[in-house]
Amino acid sequence: MSSPIIDLEQARARRQPAESTIIVQVAHVRTDAEVHRQIGINDALTFEEFHEVLATCFALPNEDAPWHFFEHDAARGARIDPAHRVRDFLRRPGQHIDYVWGLWDFTITVAEVYLRDADTPRALCVGGSGSFDVPFDITAINAQLTGDKTINAVLEQVRPEVRDAVVRSRLFDFVPLLQALDLTREVSLPAATLHALASLPREVTLEGRDAFWSTALALTCMGDKQLTESVLTTTLEALGWVDDSGAPLLADAALNLCADSLAVLTQVRATGPEALAPVDRLDLFRALLRR
């Protein structure tokens, strides 16, 4: 009896651990300054790739300063080979390592770990404070991390008005969000719902349509009311819309500008008191935002 043929590639793939996203808190603290970043990374990155992410997030000078990662338990330990993967040393919340760039020391601590899918960005700066020579600009950082090629590829998948809003506002933080939404995935929605979404926006003025797409992008973040309103007002301010006094539009005023379209989103349960669960709303926003 002949032995079964084993596909070695499939066998190796089965042995590979599932990739995770690690949220790390990175801190550089000295007597005269503190600089912090919160970064989400693919745990399959090598430490050489992680170094490049850190250099971008902290805007480290473009010079040939020596850099190294070190294990850290009770104290600084052995140097980490940059060919190793992040997951080899950072797997659980609370674990930490050291990173040295030139004469500067950084502490890297795992805050969260969760499973990732293929559409999650490889690296994303999710917060921070302080800076060295270049002011902290999370949008510019994430645009660099994402890269022009990826930005263009993702924006090619969305409706022209969505692309226009992102480009005009220069809020490229939306690109990883749209990438994670997986706009090419098949949706399963009733024909009436698809027809309703295709009719949006109902507004005819540029201000009203900008308010709608800004609201749609804010709702796609799947955050609470405070986050949604913050994203909405930030986006409209970046697009140049202000109230009669020249002050940034408040959330209520912005929502009133696209009330007709919001009524449709409420009807299909993309928002409002009877909104579907976040996982069930994904298809609604895929259908709404993509070409």
Side-chain angles (χ1 to χ4, degrees):
M1 181 176 178
S2 61
S3 300
I5 297 175
I6 298 175
D7 187 321
L8 292 179
E9 288 301 319
Q10 289 187 5
R12 291 191 188 101
R14 284 194 295 270
R15 289 199 300 268
Q16 291 296 321
E19 292 184 3
S20 297
T21 290
I22 300 179
I23 305 297
V24 293
Q25 296 176 339
V26 188
H28 171 78
V29 179
R30 58 191 187 204
T31 55
D32 61 336
E34 291 189 19
V35 185
H36 299 267
R37 297 289 183 269
Q38 291 81 45
I39 309 167
I41 57 169
N42 184 339
D43 71 346
L45 293 183
T46 65
F47 278 94
E48 184 166 5
E49 292 169 325
F50 188 20
H51 156 69
E52 294 170 358
V53 170
L54 291 171
T56 298
C57 290
F58 284 92
L60 297 178
N62 187 19
E63 56 188 57
D64 293 328
W67 58 269
H68 302 287
F69 291 91
F70 295 89
E71 297 181 51
H72 193 124
D73 191 0
R76 178 168 294 177
R79 183 184 298 179
I80 297 172
D81 185 335
H84 277 303
R85 298 191 183 277
V86 170
R87 68 161 69 105
D88 297 335
F89 293 87
L90 299 176
R91 295 179 293 275
R92 298 183 302 277
Q95 288 184 311
H96 66 272
I97 59 174
D98 295 333
Y99 170 65
V100 176
W101 184 88
L103 299 177
W104 293 352
D105 287 358
F106 299 78
T107 300
I108 300 172
T109 305
V110 178
E112 297 179 62
V113 180
Y114 53 88
L115 289 177
R116 61 185 286 115
D117 59 39
D119 298 297
T120 305
R122 66 191 288 272
L124 192 69
C125 183
V126 296
S129 62
S131 63
F132 297 118
D133 296 327
V134 179
F136 177 52
D137 183 343
I138 193 170
T139 297
I141 289 170
N142 284 328
Q144 284 185 266
L145 291 175
T146 305
D148 290 342
K149 183 177 180 180
T150 299
I151 289 172
N152 290 332
V154 172
L155 293 182
E156 280 298 316
Q157 298 174 354
V158 299
R159 291 174 61 164
E161 286 180 294
V162 178
R163 178 189 179 100
D164 180 64
V166 173
V167 172
R168 283 166 46 220
S169 68
R170 301 199 61 77
L171 293 178
F172 294 105
D173 294 353
F174 286 126
V175 172
L177 171 70
L178 294 167
Q179 185 180 16
L181 192 58
D182 190 7
L183 293 165
T184 60
R185 181 176 295 185
E186 290 294 324
V187 300
S188 179
L189 294 170
T193 299
L194 290 171
H195 179 74
L197 293 172
S199 72
L200 300 176
R202 300 289 179 86
E203 291 68 35
V204 295
T205 66
L206 178 59
E207 185 180 28
R209 296 173 79 87
D210 274 356
F212 170 72
W213 290 118
S214 298
T215 302
L217 288 167
L219 289 170
T220 305
C221 296
M222 303 291 175
D224 58 16
K225 183 175 184 287
Q226 182 178 1
L227 174 63
T228 300
E229 292 183 350
S230 175
V231 173
L232 168 59
T233 55
T234 298
T235 306
L236 283 174
E237 184 177 6
L239 288 169
W241 296 110
V242 295
D243 64 18
D244 292 339
S245 68
L249 285 170
L250 297 178
D252 287 345
L255 294 172
N256 284 336
L257 290 171
C258 55
D260 289 345
S261 293
L262 277 181
V264 176
L265 289 183
T266 302
Q267 180 184 355
V268 299
R269 301 177 67 189
T271 187
E274 297 184 6
L276 299 171
V279 67
D280 296 318
R281 277 180 265 157
L282 291 175
D283 271 359
L284 293 171
F285 288 108
R286 287 188 186 105
L288 174 65
L289 297 173
R290 71 186 182 188
R291 282 181 177 272

